[in-house]
Structures are given as C-alpha cells and as structure tokens.
Amino acid sequence: QIDDLAQAQQVVEDGLEVGYRLVDTAQIYGNEQAVGDAIKHSNVPREDIFITSKIWVDDYGYDNTLKAFDDSMKKLQLDYIDLYLIHKPYNDYYGTWRALERLYQEGRIRAIGVSSFWNERLADLITFNDVKPAVNQIETNVWNQEWKSQQYMEKEGVQPEAWAPFAEGKNGIFTNETLVEIGNKYNKSVGQVILRWLVQRGIVPLAKTVRKERMQENLNIFDFELSEEDMQTIASLNKDTSSFFSHYDP
C-alpha cells in the first residue's frame, strides 16, 4: 500500500536486491505500474519472481474482470501473473471467479485465489466452482490468530497468507512484554519472532516495510525455531478480534 510510485518502485527494487522473491500488489493500491517498472529494471530473472495482484470490487463481474486484468497486466508489463486474487468477498465475485478460471486455463495466470474471504464465503466458492482458490489472504497476527480459518483452509488445500502480520503496529505489538521476552531468548526482534511464528504455522507472511535494513531483518528468520512452549505462549495472546474492521459490517 505504497502510493508514492517512485518510492514503491524503489522498495520493490530494494526487496529484490535483498533477496525477496514475492511481491504483493493490488489494483486498488494504485502502484502496479511501479511494481512492473521495478521488475523490468531488476537483474533478477522474471521466472524467479512471484507476482501477486488483486482485482477490486468495482470491477467485479465476468466482462469487467477480463478488462481489469488486461489493464493490470499492461501496468505490470508482464506476459503472465503468478497469482491473481479477488480482493474482497462482495459484489459479483462469482462472475469474477469464472473469468479468473478462464484466464487460469489460458495460462495467463499461474494460480487464482481470494483475499479476506471468511470460511462461509470460501466454502461457497469452493463448493460451486471448478477450480479451488489456491490461496486465501486474511488478516493474521498475534491479536487475531485465525486458527479456525487456517484449519478449514488446510482441510480444503488452500494456502493461507497473512496480511498485516504486524497488525500495523497496533496495540503496542512491538513492545509487548511477552514477545520481547521471547525475542531476547533467541536474540531476535519482536518482528522476527512474529514472522517465525507464522512460518512455523505454515502461513506465508506478507510483511510490508520501506526500509532496506528492516527487509534484511525480516528475511533473517530461518536460523532459529520457536519452541512448542513459545508457540503456545504466543497463542495465548489471541483476542480473536481484527485490529482494523469487521468484514461482516457493510
């Protein structure tokens, strides 16, 4: 969600240089062009980069989705996209899903999925369509741990991805005594503890930062493992409440 295009391009270029290979953008973020420019200027081969974008509710419906997808691809300057998502479970997401199935079958999208779909909506989409969502991006962090959502997704073979893994710093997440104490035990920051906790749960975290040194720090989580006791301690922080809004509120 970086709307300054020059900064967005720099951030993606920095991320690729540091070692990131997944870039997550969306139509509504207004920065697909910057992402495309960064990939074009990068020395990293296209096939090594995993690009995700999402269609916004205003363009749902079969025909609108096909047009919106073409527009996104022009901005991204790509021949194919690795993952394309329905951003929210509103409007004609059925028509959009049928369009995504077609684009997937044509090879223009490598995988299709959804974002912020709660279990009922996800079950609805899975039951009445040919292609299952490969991914569901949902808010997942220590305050809103989404165990039931993960359980259902794993049963259906849908990969969970976590947006707002740091809850955008809300509720004093980076100074929480429990998380600080666990971090000290492993000589890691609170951010690294949170990312490691998600990875050990089998969830792909989407961590946003504009600072190169923080990007490096966020990647440095594969040289330690949280104990089962620490995993349970973090689980006890769960409030089962969004740090942002309720998806049930229209």
Side-chain angles (χ1 to χ4, degrees), residues 145-152 197 201 231 235 238 240:
Q145 299 190 7
E146 292 288 2
W147 291 97
K148 285 182 182 173
S149 296
Q150 181 179 6
Q151 188 178 24
Y152 177 68
W197 169 74
R201 283 181 60 186
M231 292 292 287
N238 189 21
D240 263 335

Side-chain angles (χ1 to χ4, degrees), residues 13-81:
E13 287 180 7
D14 287 347
L16 291 171
E17 187 184 323
V18 165
Y20 284 83
R21 292 297 177 264
L22 187 156
V23 182
D24 183 90
T25 183
Q27 185 184 24
I28 195 68
Y29 300 164
N31 58 20
E32 289 173 314
Q33 181 76 42
V35 171
D37 288 342
I39 293 161
K40 201 173 173 185
H41 294 142
S42 168
N43 294 322
V44 179
R46 163 68 186 100
E47 60 270 19
D48 291 347
I49 307 172
F50 192 95
I51 311 294
T52 301
S53 194
K54 317 173 195 81
I55 183 167
W56 189 244
V57 292
D58 294 355
D59 283 320
Y60 285 11
Y62 187 84
D63 291 334
N64 287 343
T65 294
L66 295 175
K67 285 179 198 159
F69 178 78
D70 283 341
D71 184 54
S72 284
M73 293 299 276
K74 278 182 195 142
K75 288 175 179 166
L76 288 164
Q77 304 156 66
L78 301 174
D79 298 324
Y80 69 91
I81 193 164

Side-chain angles (χ1 to χ4, degrees), residues 97-186:
W97 191 253
R98 287 194 296 274
L100 296 193
E101 285 182 327
R102 172 182 160 180
L103 293 163
Y104 170 68
Q105 283 150 3
E106 289 174 353
R108 299 186 68 198
I109 308 174
R110 296 286 172 89
I112 55 178
V114 294
S115 172
S116 297
F117 271 58
W118 53 91
N119 281 353
E120 301 95 307
R121 293 281 174 130
L122 188 58
D124 181 46
L125 201 65
I126 287 170
T127 304
F128 298 107
N129 286 283
D130 293 331
V131 181
K132 272 188 190 182
V135 161
N136 186 15
Q137 283 186 5
I138 57 173
E139 178 196 344
T140 315
N141 49 61
V142 297
W143 312 134
N144 193 35
Q145 299 190 7
E146 292 288 2
W147 291 97
K148 285 182 182 173
S149 296
Q150 181 179 6
Q151 188 178 24
Y152 177 68
M153 282 189 252
E154 286 175 349
K155 178 178 162 239
E156 293 293 344
V158 178
Q159 174 63 46
E161 290 188 347
W163 61 260
F166 301 140
E168 293 184 5
K170 292 179 191 292
N171 300 319
I173 197 168
F174 291 115
T175 54
N176 178 270
E177 285 182 17
T178 301
L179 296 173
V180 169
E181 194 177 312
I182 291 172
N184 289 340
K185 192 193 295 190
Y186 298 96

